Amino acid sequence: MILLLLSLYIQLFDSEIQLNYNGSLDIKEEITVNFDGGYHHGIYRDIPLELRGKTGNYSLGFKVHEVLMDGESVPVKKSRRRYGRGTDLRLRIGDPDITISGIHVYTIEYSAVLGARYFEEWDELYWNVTGNRWETKIDSSHCTVTFPSPIQLSNEDIKLFIGLQGSDRTMENFTLNSDFLSFGTGTLYPGYGATVDIRFPKDFLIQPPLSATLSLKLKSYLGPLLALLLPLSTLIFLFRRWHREGKDLPIGTITVKYNPPKDLTAAEAGTILDQRVDSVDITSILFDLARLGYLSIEEIESKKFLFLKNKDYKIKILKDMELGEEKHLREFLRGLKAKGGKEFLISDLKGEFYKYVKDVTEELYKSVKKKKYFYGNPDTKRKIYIGFGVAALFIGFQTTIFSLAVGSFLISGVTVGIALSGLITLIFAPLMPKRTYKGREVLTDILGFKEFLIRVEKERLKRILEQNPTIFFDFLSYAIALGVVDQWAQRFSGLQIEQPGWYSAYGLHGPIMASHIAGSIGDSIGAFSAATSPPRGSSSGFSGGGGGGFSGGGGGGGGGGGW
């Protein structure tokens, strides 16, 4: 700042403001600048394009007509920039290839459509003449406001504010007659400015009709309007699409089922239930393969460190998969053999088997589609909407940052609307897969069987155990996929169950209590879930009034400096 003060300063800031009947302004600024040191090409002038109102910012309708240096044309680069809650027009005046020194006079002529303000009892011109954001001092300033026609005003109708932004310090020295108001200031240091506030009798100025300012109103509110309309339109569109293509048929009355649906693996049942393949569905396949006689699971004790012990689970592949079995079962067994061979520990799979889970998952989705439980692949449906949502959210967010930097409310409105539309799309994505009529029917059966697993009466369970002592293990894979393992185990509290040939609990033989085995089953599920998860660090590839006043108030203002 000290270098700026030493290298250039404004000798005189002279402003001529012509107030018109319709409240518009024609402004001519002559800024005399002394470049007495440093390295400069010219000056820049920032002019606020908006005024903050009760309902937000609105455009004043600025238009730059001419910019001169020493009475001659000069290169001008126009840009917009955000300042606080508003937008500035920046005029960078000068030739970047020419260095200047000495005294130069810059003339800027521009107009504003909405210069005056209108209240119930009076009309008003409240205008920041110099601006409070100059980086250099102004030795003196002068302003003349010319009225549209002769008018008799009193000194009480005039307020002149001077000082830092927000200062209510006023000046009493001014010249007022029927045609104009004229005043000057002494030195204005960086951050200081001069503001004029003139009160006119009501209807002295003609308030422009809405048709004359409609484009400005639209320009002011089009950005926020688009920020609302775009996501609202997206919401309506997606809701109608969901209602037509994503809303499931009513489930109807759920009747308890004592067996799982026929020709439906546990993983398929879990996928139909929540419309997605998750870790419990994948884990249930291990127990389904064991139940079908393709492998066995043996709980063993392994020494982890000194006297601390840890459970592990030995898997033995007993036979190859028959071609008639489901493809997701075959892919799962193929992955086990490829990674572990005929006999291995679950701990050996950790950080490796997850690579085969993708193929198993794809086959599961294909299976529920092929069996006509869904209209299309539910995973593909979700990914399409997720893709659009992520893209819109990313593009909208990135472009919003850019639009705020350049100070465009219109573009900001569009980009915010795009980002919000992306977020709405992501919310709808999980809702878009839709079950067919057949899918709705089998879902009813799945829910009925789930009801059995969590609510079967103890007496009925005793009778079932007499006929099938291993029923706990027979339905275990479904309990895993449906997320009710703990509830299923609790139903066997106090009852003895038989271990099937495919599962061996460490240190337990023959009839055992369900409470003894429930914890081991939970540990084995957790161990295998960990084995099917990618190692840490891996990526899935998808992740009012006219009273009062102050210096810097009203329209206009801004500031500037050298460059």
Side-chain angles (χ1 to χ4, degrees):
M1 181 63 72
I2 294 175
L3 291 176
L4 288 171
L5 288 172
L6 293 175
S7 62
L8 70 88
Y9 64 94
I10 297 173
Q11 290 184 339
L12 176 63
F13 187 110
D14 185 77
S15 179
E16 298 177 6
I17 302 175
Q18 173 64 56
L19 173 63
N20 303 310
Y21 269 121
N22 61 1
S24 65
L25 302 176
D26 294 309
I27 300 171
K28 179 181 179 180
E29 295 177 351
E30 289 192 346
I31 307 171
T32 303
V33 182
N34 190 333
F35 298 91
D36 62 355
Y39 182 87
H40 294 286
H41 304 286
I43 67 168
Y44 67 87
R45 173 76 168 103
D46 292 340
I47 304 174
L49 298 177
E50 301 163 332
L51 187 64
R52 187 166 180 80
K54 293 181 179 179
T55 58
N57 291 11
Y58 63 90
S59 174
L60 297 178
F62 277 96
K63 183 178 181 180
V64 177
H65 301 284
E66 190 173 44
V67 179
L68 305 172
M69 184 182 80
D70 301 328
E72 302 291 337
S73 296
V74 64
V76 180
K77 181 179 179 180
K78 298 179 182 179
S79 62
R80 296 192 178 202
R81 58 191 296 272
R82 292 288 295 168
Y83 185 85
R85 298 183 180 180
T87 304
D88 284 359
L89 170 66
R90 170 163 288 189
L91 304 174
R92 195 178 74 168
I93 308 169
D95 191 328
D97 297 325
I98 299 176
T99 303
I100 60 175
S101 62
I103 298 174
H104 297 276
V105 179
Y106 294 89
T107 303
I108 305 172
E109 295 187 28
Y110 57 95
S111 59
V113 175
L114 301 180
R117 307 194 302 176
Y118 304 90
F119 301 98
E120 292 184 4
E121 298 180 358
W122 65 83
D123 301 332
E124 181 183 58
L125 175 64
Y126 185 27
W127 199 255
N128 187 348
V129 177
T130 61
N132 292 67
R133 288 188 271 121
W134 282 94
E135 295 179 344
T136 184
K137 73 170 183 173
I138 301 173
D139 271 357
S140 66
S141 70
H142 183 269
C143 175
T144 299
V145 180
T146 304
F147 309 140
S149 64
I151 178 72
Q152 295 299 321
L153 300 176
S154 68
N155 289 355
E156 285 71 26
D157 295 320
I158 309 298
K159 287 186 178 180
L160 303 175
F161 301 97
I162 186 172
L164 293 169
Q165 177 78 28
S167 171
D168 58 0
R169 173 189 168 194
T170 59
M171 298 185 299
E172 304 298 331
N173 296 325
F174 54 84
T175 299
L176 175 66
N177 60 37
S178 61
D179 297 316
F180 64 85
L181 165 71
S182 178
F183 67 93
T185 72
T187 300
L188 298 175
Y189 293 99
Y192 282 64
T195 299
V196 59
D197 191 351
I198 308 174
R199 181 173 60 185
F200 298 96
K202 187 61 183 174
D203 297 329
F204 173 69
L205 300 176
I206 301 172
Q207 186 169 0
L210 178 62
S211 58
T213 59
L214 182 60
S215 61
L216 291 177
K217 298 294 184 182
L218 288 176
K219 187 177 180 181
S220 300
Y221 297 110
L222 188 57
L225 189 62
L226 288 173
L228 175 65
L229 288 180
L230 282 176
L232 181 61
S233 300
T234 302
L235 178 62
I236 294 173
F237 170 78
L238 290 176
F239 179 81
R240 294 180 64 181
R241 195 173 185 87
W242 166 79
H243 194 271
R244 185 175 65 253
E245 300 180 11
K247 184 180 180 181
D248 277 307
L249 298 167
I251 294 176
T253 304
I254 298 174
T255 304
V256 174
K257 301 290 183 181
Y258 300 104
N259 289 285
K262 291 182 179 180
D263 302 322
L264 199 68
T265 67
E268 289 173 328
T271 302
I272 294 170
L273 178 65
D274 57 13
Q275 303 183 333
R276 66 177 62 248
V277 177
D278 46 34
S279 61
V280 292
D281 299 326
I282 298 297
T283 303
S284 72
I285 298 176
L286 179 73
F287 292 86
D288 249 355
L289 288 173
R291 178 177 59 84
L292 294 171
Y294 292 103
L295 57 84
S296 64
I297 304 172
E298 179 185 355
E299 177 187 330
I300 64 174
E301 186 180 54
S302 63
K303 293 183 179 180
K304 190 174 183 181
F305 181 70
L306 297 177
F307 301 106
L308 298 177
K309 296 179 180 180
N310 191 35
K311 290 180 181 178
D312 205 342
Y313 300 87
K314 181 187 292 184
I315 306 296
K316 290 183 179 180
I317 306 297
L318 303 178
K319 61 180 180 178
D320 292 330
M321 178 67 69
E322 299 174 3
L323 292 177
E325 293 291 358
E326 300 289 351
K327 283 188 177 181
H328 61 274
L329 298 181
R330 300 208 315 258
E331 284 295 326
F332 191 97
L333 188 61
R334 182 183 69 84
L336 288 180
K337 291 177 65 178
K339 240 11 254 174
K342 288 285 187 177
E343 185 175 320
F344 53 89
L345 299 177
I346 284 182
S347 59
D348 296 334
L349 301 179
K350 192 171 183 180
E352 295 291 339
F353 187 71
Y354 80 95
K355 298 174 183 177
Y356 297 90
V357 170
K358 181 181 179 182
D359 293 334
V360 176
T361 299
E362 289 179 356
E363 290 300 334
L364 259 174
Y365 281 125
K366 289 178 182 178
S367 178
V368 294
K369 176 189 175 183
K370 183 179 179 181
K371 292 182 179 181
K372 301 187 184 305
Y373 294 128
F374 287 93
Y375 291 104
N377 186 315
D379 189 48
T380 302
K381 279 272 188 181
R382 274 191 300 270
K383 285 180 178 178
I384 290 173
Y385 286 96
I386 290 173
F388 277 113
V390 169
L393 189 61
F394 177 78
I395 293 171
F397 180 75
Q398 293 294 328
T399 51
T400 295
I401 296 175
F402 170 77
S403 63
L404 290 175
V406 300
S408 174
F409 271 123
L410 177 59
I411 298 177
S412 296
V414 174
T415 56
V416 169
I418 291 173
L420 291 176
S421 295
L423 183 60
I424 291 172
T425 304
L426 289 176
I427 293 173
F428 269 88
L431 307 177
M432 286 308 184
K434 182 178 182 179
R435 302 180 188 91
T436 62
Y437 179 82
K438 181 181 178 182
R440 192 279 306 269
E441 292 297 309
V442 78
L443 175 63
T444 303
D445 293 340
I446 292 170
L447 291 173
F449 181 59
K450 181 180 179 181
E451 192 73 9
F452 164 76
L453 293 176
I454 62 178
R455 301 190 188 280
V456 59
E457 301 91 344
K458 186 67 65 72
E459 292 304 317
R460 176 182 290 274
L461 197 54
K462 286 180 180 179
R463 294 194 297 269
I464 295 174
L465 279 171
E466 291 176 359
Q467 301 174 2
N468 183 6
T470 62
I471 188 174
F472 174 81
F473 291 94
D474 292 346
F475 291 164
L476 180 59
S477 60
Y478 291 92
I480 293 170
L482 302 181
V484 293
V485 173
D486 291 339
Q487 295 94 318
W488 178 233
Q490 288 172 5
R491 309 317 299 165
F492 290 84
S493 176
L495 300 178
Q496 284 189 333
I497 59 176
E498 290 282 351
Q499 296 184 73
W502 54 265
Y503 190 90
S504 301
Y506 178 77
L508 298 176
H509 305 281
I512 56 175
M513 301 297 291
S515 58
H516 291 162
I517 198 66
S520 295
I521 294 294
D523 289 340
S524 64
I525 293 171
F528 189 73
S529 294
T532 59
S533 300
R536 188 171 298 180
S538 294
S539 173
S540 65
F542 193 95
S543 299
F550 54 87
S551 175
W563 70 281

